[in-house]
Amino acid sequence: MTVWGNGLVQRPLVSNGGQFGAPRPGGRTHAGADFIGYNELRAIEPGRVTFAGVLTPAAGVSVAIDLPNKIDGHTVTIVRMHIKENTLKVGAGSQVVAGQLIGMMGASGNAQGACDHVEIRFFRNGQLIRTVDPVTWIGNRIGGGPQPAMLGSQQRVSKAFVNGRAAPTRQAAIRGSLAAGVTGTFNAFTHGESVEGNNVWFRGHFTGLWFWSGAFTSTSTQGLIRI
Ligand SMILES: [Zn+2]
C-alpha cells in the first residue's frame, strides 16, 4: 500500500516554491516536493532503509527507503530530507511498512522552513536515471486502488480490546478502538507489522483505521480485498 508522508491517503499541502521542478540557485530545479503541515514523517511505501543520517550538508538528516520490487526495471528509492535532528526512528537496514514512523518534520540542512522533502528516484544498475514529481507519482499509486465506498464489507468479532491505528503498525497513532466482544465491520486487509507472527491488519469500513487481525475471533481475510 501507499500513503502520503503524513501517513494518510489525504494529500498534504506543498509549500510555496516547494513544487517539483521549481527553480533553484545555479539553474538547478527542485528534485522533490516539500510537503508541510504535519509533524510525524511516515514511510510512503514499504521497503528497506538504505540510508539514515546526514546525507549531505544541504539535505540534512535524511532517510532513503528502497521499494521491495522494481518498477519498469528500475529500483525506486524514496528519499526524505530536512528531518529534525535526533528524531530518526529507523536505521540503515531496517524494514519498514507504509505508514511507519520514521522521524519528525524539521528544517535540517538548507531548508527554508520545516518541511518534508520527498524525492522519488529511479535507479538502473546503480545509476540515477531520473526523479519524478512525488505529487503525481504518489497520487497515482494511492488512487490506483478500489475506493472504499465500492467495496463489500465483512464483520469480525473482537476477542480483546483492540486499538484502531492510522497505519498497520503498532507505531502508528491510535485514532479509535473496539472493546472485547464487539462486532467490527471491515472492507480490506493488508500485510503490515507482524505481531506474534501475524501480519494481517483489517481496515475499518467506517473509520479507515487499521486493526490487528489477531485481536479477533477470526483472522480470515475472506471477502476482504487486499490493499
Ligand atoms: Zn525540497
Side-chain angles (χ1 to χ4, degrees), residues 160-179:
F161 178 90
V162 55
N163 287 314
R165 295 180 182 272
T169 164
R170 288 174 297 175
Q171 293 189 3
I174 297 170
R175 301 261 164 78
S177 63
L178 286 176

Side-chain angles (χ1 to χ4, degrees), residues 18 24 30-34 81-82 115-119:
R24 287 291 183 269
H30 193 217
D34 295 335
M81 298 178 183
H82 310 315
C115 68
D116 178 16
H117 175 105
V118 177
E119 202 166 307

Side-chain angles (χ1 to χ4, degrees), residues 63-119:
V63 167
I65 296 174
D66 279 8
L67 270 60
N69 300 310
K70 290 188 175 182
I71 296 177
D72 299 333
H74 294 84
T75 298
V76 179
T77 304
I78 300 181
V79 184
R80 314 286 281 274
M81 298 178 183
H82 310 315
I83 299 170
K84 189 173 184 178
E85 291 89 348
N86 303 314
T87 66
L88 284 185
K89 298 288 189 283
V90 296
S94 304
Q95 294 283 345
V96 298
V97 298
Q100 185 170 331
L101 184 64
I102 59 177
M104 303 299 283
M105 187 181 287
S108 64
N110 69 351
Q112 295 301 303
C115 68
D116 178 16
H117 175 105
V118 177
E119 202 166 307

Side-chain angles (χ1 to χ4, degrees), residues 5-6 12-13 35-42 80 105 116 118:
N6 57 5
L13 294 174
F35 295 96
I36 55 172
Y38 48 102
N39 290 316
E40 297 180 346
L41 306 183
R42 295 185 174 278
R80 314 286 281 274
M105 187 181 287
D116 178 16
V118 177

